[in-house]
Every structure is written in structure tokens, then in C-alpha cells.
Amino acid sequence: MKKQFIKVVLSCTVLVAGFTATSCKKSSSSKNVSRATGWKINAKEGGFQYNSDFKEQETSPGLVFIEGGTFIKGKVQDDVMHDWNNTPTQQHVQSFYMDETEVTNVMYLEYLDYLKSVYPPENPKYANIYKGALPDTLVWRNRLGFNETMTNNYLRHPAYAEYPVVGVNWVQATQFAEWRTDRVNEAVLEREGYLAKDAKYQAVTGEIAGTFSTEAYLNRPESVYNGQIDSLQGNKQKDSVSVFAKRSSGIITPEYRLPTETEWEYAAQALQGTREYNNYRGRKKYPWEGEYTRNGQRVGRGDQLANFKQGKGDYGGIAGWSDDGADITAEVKSYKPNDLGLYDMAGNVAEWVADVYRPIVDDEISDFNYYRGNIYTKTAIGDDGKVEILRDSIVYDTLPNGKVVAVNLPGEILMVPVDENETYLRTNFSDSDNRAYRDGDPGSSRFFDRFSDEEDEENQRKMYDSPKHEVKRDSLGNIVRGYDTSNNRTTLINDEVRVYKGGSWRDRAYWLDPAQRRFLPQYMATDYIGFRCAMSRVGSKSKSKNKTVRGKKVK
């Protein structure tokens, strides 16, 4: 009886001294009622709209989920090159996604075909958009080698369709990732009913002017497709009123991008597949188990586990025996994936990563998602108070090698560096450009004592003062080359030099170690560097089916 009495009291409203006390009944747990205000969420009458049914991030096309964690970044074994640029540090990486394979020729050809269709190169206004995205097929040439077959066929012939694309510089790789982001989100919006069926093809066929930009859609959706998006509404449209997805809708994917060096190295090591202490402490030599490049298992025993140069004049082994199956690059998925399901994280082609190169890794400042290369920007706001959309004002940049690339495409948002309004009294950052932050003291610079304040004040402040060549084009399109002939330059490293990771078909086994790091100017391309994309994970560290709390699965 006592228990029953208590139950009744807790479920009713109690009158005390003439006042009505709040009911003790448990508050509503409905996901469509605000716990802050008690108002309805997603009500037909209006008000706050939010995706309360969101479960977790969808795995976007081509990607594999990588659960984050801690690992030893850098090298604790031999350093025969004496680079001293990969001192071991313990880092933590957030969960993210990475391409299962390198970006292939056919994937990149799809990109080129899109640019050629939407921005016809015969139109003088668009001429350099397509040309600037073309890979450099001449990277295959050698003064004393006959490689014209690859020069003419490697990119476009279907025999090489699933081979990794090469001849792509870092700038082109990042622009491909931006294009890929927009195309994937365009398809998602069509699938979810925010765009009409096959709307994404109308820009390619020329039925509509302008294209889709993810950031433009999120900030000024009425500007997308050159202002014609109202005619491309899907079944989400209500009473002829356009309905647009927002970031709070939960369906817009984060951007495709190049992985950071830390992410790439963590993914290549694939420590989740082993719990050996030495591997955890950074002693795992390859993306696979063991100290050798050959398969030690019974099935396939003796087979090479990657595509690399085995010795002087030996790019694959003796034909039919001890052969790794490739002389140049190999078709993706030709070798076993690592324990995370990623292919060719050693061998085949080396890969661009996002980081600006410096010989040091400053783990005193950051041991969480370490990355050197942040340039913080913000959207430009016009006189009308709205985000500025770039229409016909295409901005081109002439790279130091004379190649012209488009900095922006029509329909994209204008981005500008952050200013003192965002940095004032902040403790986490004070400048827009952080590429050179804490990268070495001035006294470490070679010939530092020879500089005087009057002679070269800039060199007193900067350790990495590489030559500054000025390359531009005149009104006729001719390249005007201006070489920096100063004798005071002390290094070739600058803020446009990027890291690339992993060994390639041209490299010896030494470079297959995920900890190895090399660098190249971001405007240069080779026949042995490709790339793959990554995407950040939003939300939980683990995927739902793997979530555990203290050893127990959480539904």
C-alpha cells in the first residue's frame, strides 16, 4: 500500500497553501519538443526546424570510415637519408573518412569532362579553367628513355582507367576535391527531394546557365544555378514555395579534401588491426604486419605486397617469377588492403597531403589533429548585407611554372582573410595565415649573422626565406619570368611547398614506411605522385554499430 500511495502522489499535481506546484511527472521525452522552451520542433505551424531524426553521418561515395585514436607519428627506426624531419611524437586523430583507393584516371576524366561541358574552353572567358585542370602528361618523358606510350595513352586510354592519376599538382588535387564536394551534395539534394530529378545534368547539357556550389547553396540558395534554382525544385517544394536544405538538415556532407599528413600516416599504419606494444610505439614498418615486403601467409606466400622499385633497373622482378605484377603504376586494388580496408597505402604512387612542409613537428603547441597549413578566411559581405557571389569575375593565378589555374569558378562565394574583428584578444589564433607559425627561430637560419637590419630586415625575421620568383603573363598571354637572383636566400622551403607521403613505383622499399615524408612545390607534378581524398567525421567518434561504453554496446 505504501508503494502504491507514493506512485499516485508522484503522478499528480499537488496543491500546497493555495498554490499549484509543478507536476512531478517525468517531462516529455519527445524528440520534437524542445527541452529548453517546451515549444514544438518541426511544427507545421512554423518555428524552429531541425533534423531530429539524424542518426549519424552517411559514408559518402568512395570513402572508408577511419575511427580516430592515438598513435606515434614519425620515425623511431633507421634514418638512412639523415633527413631528421620525422622525429617521433604522440598524436591523437579524430575520426574521419578516406578514399578506399587513389583517385583514378577515370575519376579525374569525369572531372575534366564536366569542366569542358560547363565551361567550354573555346569560350575565351573560360579557356583557362579546363586547361588549368589538365594533368601534365609530359611527366612521363625522360631524356634517355622511351615512354611516349604513357605520354599519349596513360590518362585517357581505357586500359589505364583504374590506374591512379599522375601528373597532377597539389593545387589541381585540391580543386578536384572541391568539385567533388559539390557534385556529391548535388546528388544528395536530388535524392532527398530538394532538387528535381536529373537537375544536376542540366548544367552539363547547357539547359541552364550556372552550376551548383555547396557553400553558395547554404549561404544564398537563391543564387545557385545562376538564380534559376526555383525552376529545379523537387518534391519538397510546398505550395510553389521553394524549400532549401540547411546545414541543420543533416544531409549536406562535409567537404572532400586532401588528408592531413597526420591523418594519412595514421590511416596507413592501421594500428587497429594489431595490439602489439611495439607497433603502438611506432615500430610498425609497413602498412601490413611484419618486417618484409613479401607475403608470409600460406596463400600467396612470397608475393610482393606493394608495387615499388626492387633494385637498380628492377621495377617489378623477373617476368613470371618474383614479379610484383607492375612496372609502372598498377591498377588500384591489385594488392591486399591494410587492416582499415585502404588500398596502396604503400607503393604504386606517392600521395599529396594537405600540409605545408617544415622539418619540425611542433607537438608542444598541438598534439590533436596536427596540421600545418591553416589560412583562416570568412565570407565576404556585400553592401546589401548579403554574402557575395562571384558571377563572371573569374580570378586566375599564374603559377611559378607558367601554368594558369582558376582560383574560383563562377557561382562560388567570395572568401576573404579574417581580420582583427575575428582575432582581437583571441588566445587560439592571431592571424589569418598560420602556415609559418613557430617554424624555427631566426638564429637557426644559415648566414644569419651576415644580415643587418638595414640590409635585409625580412631575413632577420624569417627562417624560411626561399627565392621569390615573379611569374606573370602580359596582355598577349606571354609568360614574363622574373627570377630572384639574391645571394641572401638560405633555403628552398617556403609556404607553397607541400608534403607528399608513401613510396611509389619509382621508389625503393625504404620509402614504403608510412612515417617517411618528402616535399615538393605545390605547383609541380611528377609521374609518381597521385592523391586520394578525405572527409572529416561529424558527430560521434565511432559508428553506431561499434559504439561501446565501458565494454557494453550502446544501441
Side-chain angles (χ1 to χ4, degrees):
M1 292 295 294
K2 187 174 182 181
K3 291 182 179 179
Q4 293 177 350
F5 174 75
I6 292 175
K7 184 176 181 180
V8 171
V9 169
L10 290 176
S11 64
C12 66
T13 300
V14 183
L15 294 175
V16 181
F19 292 94
T20 303
T22 303
S23 174
C24 299
K25 186 176 181 180
K26 186 178 180 181
S27 62
S28 172
S29 60
S30 172
K31 59 187 176 182
N32 285 320
V33 175
S34 168
R35 291 192 292 116
T37 63
W39 285 36
K40 290 181 181 180
I41 298 175
N42 301 320
K44 295 180 180 179
E45 298 79 9
F48 183 47
Q49 302 294 310
Y50 197 77
N51 184 1
S52 54
D53 292 323
F54 182 82
K55 295 294 188 297
E56 70 172 28
Q57 182 177 346
E58 176 184 353
T59 302
S60 296
L63 302 179
V64 172
F65 173 70
I66 311 293
E67 183 173 345
T70 186
F71 80 114
I72 300 297
K73 172 183 167 68
K75 187 76 171 172
V76 296
Q77 300 184 64
D78 53 296
D79 186 12
V80 300
M81 301 297 292
H82 300 291
D83 288 327
W84 299 104
N85 65 357
N86 53 359
T87 304
T89 64
Q90 185 156 324
Q91 297 283 336
H92 191 95
V93 184
Q94 274 188 298
S95 297
F96 61 101
Y97 298 83
M98 183 176 277
D99 266 336
E100 183 182 29
T101 71
E102 296 113 343
V103 171
T104 62
N105 284 319
V106 71
M107 293 167 68
Y108 203 87
L109 284 174
E110 183 182 2
Y111 168 52
L112 294 177
D113 182 73
Y114 182 92
L115 294 182
K116 193 172 185 178
S117 299
V118 178
Y119 309 107
E122 57 269 17
N123 185 334
K125 183 172 65 173
Y126 299 144
N128 287 313
I129 292 179
Y130 176 72
K131 292 178 182 177
L134 285 172
D136 182 4
T137 58
L138 302 185
V139 294
W140 288 106
R141 285 181 172 169
N142 187 306
R143 292 180 181 88
L144 297 178
F146 179 71
N147 299 322
E148 286 304 289
T149 300
M150 278 83 79
T151 299
N152 296 325
N153 293 284
Y154 183 81
L155 174 64
R156 299 185 184 278
H157 198 285
Y160 294 112
E162 295 299 333
Y163 284 57
V165 67
V166 296
V168 175
N169 62 42
W170 184 93
V171 175
Q172 292 171 316
T174 57
Q175 291 178 336
F176 170 88
E178 294 170 3
W179 167 85
R180 188 176 177 186
T181 301
D182 293 337
R183 302 292 75 75
V184 169
N185 279 321
E186 203 171 12
V188 168
L189 290 173
E190 181 184 304
R191 183 193 69 193
E192 297 297 323
Y194 290 94
L195 289 176
K197 184 179 179 182
D198 296 333
K200 59 182 181 291
Y201 296 113
Q202 296 191 35
V204 178
T205 58
E207 296 178 50
I208 59 171
T211 60
F212 175 89
S213 165
T214 300
E215 290 302 317
Y217 179 86
L218 290 172
N219 287 274
R220 286 188 61 184
E222 75 282 358
S223 70
V224 178
Y225 297 118
N226 204 24
Q228 302 175 70
I229 193 171
D230 286 342
S231 63
L232 299 174
Q233 287 287 299
N235 55 28
K236 290 281 186 180
Q237 181 174 279
K238 297 179 180 179
D239 301 324
S240 299
V241 177
S242 298
V243 176
F244 305 112
K246 302 176 181 178
R247 211 177 292 275
S248 59
S249 302
I251 63 171
I252 301 291
T253 69
E255 71 277 3
Y256 283 86
R257 55 178 173 78
L258 291 181
T260 66
E261 180 183 3
T262 308
E263 288 174 334
W264 193 98
E265 190 170 325
Y266 175 81
Q269 286 191 17
L271 295 177
Q272 290 91 323
T274 179
R275 295 297 174 184
E276 292 185 17
Y277 180 74
N278 282 341
N279 289 342
Y280 168 72
R281 299 305 302 173
R283 296 185 183 274
K284 190 176 182 185
K285 190 173 182 64
Y286 300 116
W288 52 82
E289 287 299 312
E291 298 293 316
Y292 306 100
T293 63
R294 293 189 182 276
N295 189 352
Q297 299 175 353
R298 186 174 68 176
V299 178
R301 186 184 299 276
D303 290 346
Q304 290 288 5
L305 296 170
N307 175 22
F308 64 99
K309 183 178 180 179
Q310 298 178 32
K312 178 69 174 177
D314 184 357
Y315 289 84
I318 300 173
W321 179 83
S322 187
D323 193 357
D324 67 11
D327 37 30
I328 55 168
T329 56
E331 186 174 348
V332 296
K333 297 188 178 182
S334 294
Y335 305 90
K336 288 184 177 181
N338 68 6
D339 288 328
L340 293 176
L342 302 172
Y343 292 86
D344 294 320
M345 295 300 285
N348 216 15
V349 291
E351 299 176 18
W352 289 113
V353 294
D355 293 57
V356 168
Y357 176 78
R358 291 294 189 271
I360 59 173
V361 174
D362 192 353
D363 63 326
E364 291 183 0
I365 285 294
S366 176
D367 58 3
F368 182 76
N369 288 345
Y370 188 90
Y371 166 63
R372 181 180 289 279
N374 283 314
I375 302 178
Y376 298 120
T377 59
K378 62 180 180 179
T379 55
I381 305 299
D383 295 336
D384 58 357
K386 296 182 179 180
V387 172
E388 284 194 42
I389 304 295
L390 294 166
R391 289 295 186 193
D392 297 322
S393 55
I394 306 171
V395 179
Y396 292 103
D397 185 20
T398 302
L399 303 180
N401 59 357
K403 195 176 186 74
V404 179
V405 297
V407 177
N408 72 277
L409 296 178
E412 294 182 342
I413 286 180
L414 175 62
M415 304 297 294
V416 295
V418 298
D419 54 29
E420 60 182 9
N421 293 324
E422 286 77 29
T423 62
Y424 181 65
L425 290 183
R426 283 192 177 273
T427 58
N428 54 334
F429 72 98
S430 57
D431 296 291
S432 170
D433 190 345
N434 296 272
R435 291 174 294 180
Y437 180 70
R438 281 175 57 105
D439 61 356
D441 57 23
S444 300
S445 183
R446 190 182 178 201
F447 305 135
F448 172 75
D449 58 339
R450 301 186 188 180
F451 301 139
S452 65
D453 290 339
E454 298 80 14
E455 218 171 68
D456 197 338
E457 184 180 358
E458 181 67 17
N459 282 337
Q460 290 263 13
R461 296 197 304 268
K462 290 194 69 176
M463 177 178 178
Y464 298 100
D465 57 338
S466 62
K468 298 179 180 178
H469 306 305
E470 294 185 4
V471 181
K472 55 186 178 181
R473 290 182 179 267
D474 60 20
S475 58
L476 300 177
N478 300 314
I479 299 178
V480 179
R481 300 175 175 88
Y483 290 101
D484 184 347
T485 59
S486 170
N487 292 324
N488 294 329
R489 301 304 182 186
T490 60
T491 178
L492 293 177
I493 299 173
N494 59 33
D495 292 342
E496 280 72 48
V497 169
R498 301 287 173 166
V499 179
Y500 67 93
K501 300 282 283 183
S504 75
W505 65 275
R506 277 193 177 274
D507 295 314
R508 301 293 291 269
Y510 173 77
W511 296 107
L512 301 184
D513 188 330
Q516 297 294 355
R517 57 201 303 258
R518 292 175 282 179
F519 61 93
L520 195 70
Q522 64 185 30
Y523 56 84
M524 296 184 69
T526 73
D527 61 354
Y528 61 88
I529 300 179
F531 70 102
R532 71 180 76 209
C533 296
M535 179 183 289
S536 298
R537 164 83 171 177
V538 294
S540 62
K541 178 178 182 288
S542 305
K543 300 197 87 171
S544 295
K545 63 180 180 180
N546 298 324
K547 287 181 186 176
T548 58
V549 176
R550 296 179 183 175
K552 296 181 179 180
K553 284 190 175 182
V554 178
K555 295 182 180 180

